Amino acid sequence: MRKFAPYVLKSLWRHRARTVLTVSGTAVALLVFCFIGSVQRGLARLTSSEEADRTLIVFQESRFCPQSSRLPQDYARTIADTPGVSDVIPIKVFTNNCRASLDAIVFQGMAAHKLEAWRDLTLTSGDWSAYEGQDDAALVGEAVANRRGLAAGDKFTIGGVSVVVRGVFHSPVAADNNLIYTHLDFLQRARGADGVGTVTLHEVKLTDGADPDAVAKRLDQAFESGPVATTTRTKGMYQADTLADLAELIGFVHWLGYACVGLVLSLVATTTVMSVQDRIKEHAVLQTLGLRPQRVFSLVVLESLVLSTLGGVLGVAASALLLAGAGMSIAAEGVTIAFEPSAMLALQGLLVAVAVGLVAGLAPGWQAARMEIVAALRHA
């Protein structure tokens, strides 16, 4: 088939406008397909990782938005003394928008030594010692920095909270790249003195072999008669419950991905059928010159495959560039889902394009191969 490649390319170039429109339509559909896949991957990574199953979140009972959860900070001492608990970190969370948003800013305040020990952060700019030594200093995730145009040394204000950026960091956990870390005591005082001594949640690391459900039950029982009752769940369950509405919407959008595949199939098949109809006599001449029907069938399928694959390559490449460069995410109630590009997702998009190209070419190829030579030559 290699020697027929120039013929296929010339056939496609003969109708430039049609080819360009088909390839661009395919590229857009595959770009949407990859975007949907990246959101689903981000949600799965957030709620089903090993860390999410071995870490507990202690939250105020019957509270959802971070601003409405106010736990005593000294609960940390009781939590640390509970069997099965390895370590605990009090965290203050502030977000400018508790509802679903594509540009939510989420602050997490915690002690600097706990941040260094608990989070895998690599500073791409700035200085850790400068962050430790300044009360209103902040470390900004690279996704937020790219969206907001922030760099080390900049002052940033939102929702009444003003910080000085002392570092931009990268984290292997994509969702963390959409966070801003500050000192705990600073964030407690940032919106008034009534926040001193309270936190949004306590993040609990378990010892090896500890049963998360049993430890969660003990913690809730310990605080049941305290000043503030708690609800304790694994980090994965906490994030899944917090994002329940978004997760349902993402599950529905999953069908949009299948619709994109159907769109590509319809688009490429229609273009290939039109191409076959335009070249009925040409295919008859080729068979007259000795090409077997099977070869004509292969040429038509190859043409369909080239159209779909070229559009797929462009769509996958565009989605990878946009996702990697824009650092897109969606957040709700202080929990962020990052749009995660990946080599596996890109490969999946390319395989879909190739498969659709092959399927789309079957019917037109069969039509071209089965056509009677004499009738085809008489075709007007």
Side-chain angles (χ1 to χ4, degrees):
M1 289 297 295
R2 185 180 301 176
K3 64 181 179 180
F4 290 101
Y7 167 76
V8 171
L9 295 176
K10 286 180 180 178
S11 298
L12 292 173
W13 190 245
R14 198 181 306 169
H15 298 280
R16 298 177 184 83
R18 187 166 66 195
T19 298
V20 170
L21 289 173
T22 302
V23 169
S24 60
T26 302
V28 171
L30 264 297
L31 185 146
V32 174
F33 177 85
C34 289
F35 261 71
I36 293 170
S38 70
V39 178
Q40 292 173 325
R41 173 180 167 82
L43 179 61
R45 285 279 298 272
L46 197 64
T47 58
S48 60
S49 65
E50 183 177 350
E51 181 204 6
D53 293 334
R54 297 298 303 166
T55 303
L56 296 179
I57 298 295
V58 182
F59 202 70
Q60 184 174 345
E61 186 179 38
S62 302
R63 293 293 185 271
F64 300 97
C65 184
Q67 273 82 288
S68 66
S69 178
R70 298 170 62 85
L71 293 178
Q73 184 177 341
D74 60 10
Y75 272 15
R77 289 196 293 267
T78 303
I79 295 171
D81 293 337
T82 302
V85 173
S86 171
D87 198 4
V88 57
I89 177 171
I91 300 176
K92 182 75 172 179
V93 179
F94 168 73
T95 178
N96 66 322
N97 191 347
C98 238
R99 292 172 293 181
S101 172
L102 288 171
D103 191 31
I105 299 298
V106 181
F107 290 87
Q108 286 195 3
M110 61 183 74
H113 68 281
K114 294 283 190 179
L115 173 62
E116 187 175 17
W118 280 57
R119 301 291 190 258
D120 184 9
L121 308 181
T122 302
L123 291 184
T124 57
S125 65
D127 181 69
W128 177 263
S129 60
Y131 168 73
E132 285 187 302
Q134 184 174 343
D135 287 343
D136 62 348
L139 297 179
V140 179
E142 61 181 7
V144 179
N146 291 337
R147 285 204 311 270
R148 295 280 178 156
L150 299 175
D154 291 346
K155 190 168 184 178
F156 176 64
T157 302
I158 191 166
V161 178
S162 297
V163 295
V164 178
V165 179
R166 287 305 177 197
V168 176
F169 67 84
H170 168 77
S171 171
V173 180
D176 285 358
N177 292 317
N178 292 278
L179 298 178
I180 298 177
Y181 290 110
T182 68
H183 297 287
L184 175 59
D185 53 355
F186 163 77
L187 199 58
Q188 287 173 325
R189 299 191 309 269
R191 292 172 58 82
D194 60 335
V196 176
T198 66
V199 295
T200 304
L201 56 89
H202 293 273
E203 190 168 323
V204 181
K205 187 177 293 186
L206 300 176
T207 58
D208 293 338
D211 181 4
D213 293 334
V215 176
K217 186 176 180 180
R218 281 197 291 268
L219 291 175
D220 288 339
Q221 288 175 342
F223 301 124
E224 188 174 8
S225 57
V228 181
T230 62
T231 298
T232 304
R233 288 167 288 187
T234 63
K235 191 173 184 179
M237 290 180 60
Y238 164 76
Q239 291 172 331
D241 289 346
T242 302
L243 299 169
D245 292 339
L246 271 179
E248 186 174 346
L249 179 60
I250 291 171
F252 174 77
V253 171
H254 178 71
W255 295 104
L256 180 59
Y258 291 124
C260 289
V261 175
L263 175 62
V264 174
L265 178 62
S266 176
L267 187 62
V268 175
T270 300
T271 300
T272 307
V273 167
M274 293 173 63
S275 177
V276 169
Q277 291 295 329
D278 288 344
R279 291 182 289 143
I280 290 177
K281 283 187 177 181
E282 184 177 320
H283 289 148
V285 170
L286 290 176
Q287 292 189 58
T288 303
L289 294 175
L291 258 68
R292 295 182 178 180
Q294 295 89 331
R295 182 66 70 184
V296 174
F297 173 83
S298 300
L299 290 175
V300 174
V301 172
L302 180 59
E303 185 176 322
S304 171
L305 180 61
V306 170
L307 280 172
S308 182
T309 302
L310 183 57
V313 169
L314 292 176
V316 168
S319 67
L321 290 174
L322 286 173
L323 290 170
M328 297 179 66
S329 65
I330 184 169
E333 299 179 19
V335 179
T336 302
I337 303 174
F339 290 28
E340 291 195 52
S342 68
M344 183 60 68
L345 181 61
L347 179 60
Q348 185 180 5
L350 292 175
L351 289 176
V352 166
V354 170
V356 167
L358 290 173
V359 173
L362 293 179
W366 179 259
Q367 179 186 3
R370 296 284 294 175
M371 191 165 294
E372 294 290 338
I373 296 177
V374 175
L377 291 173
R378 291 174 179 172
H379 185 76

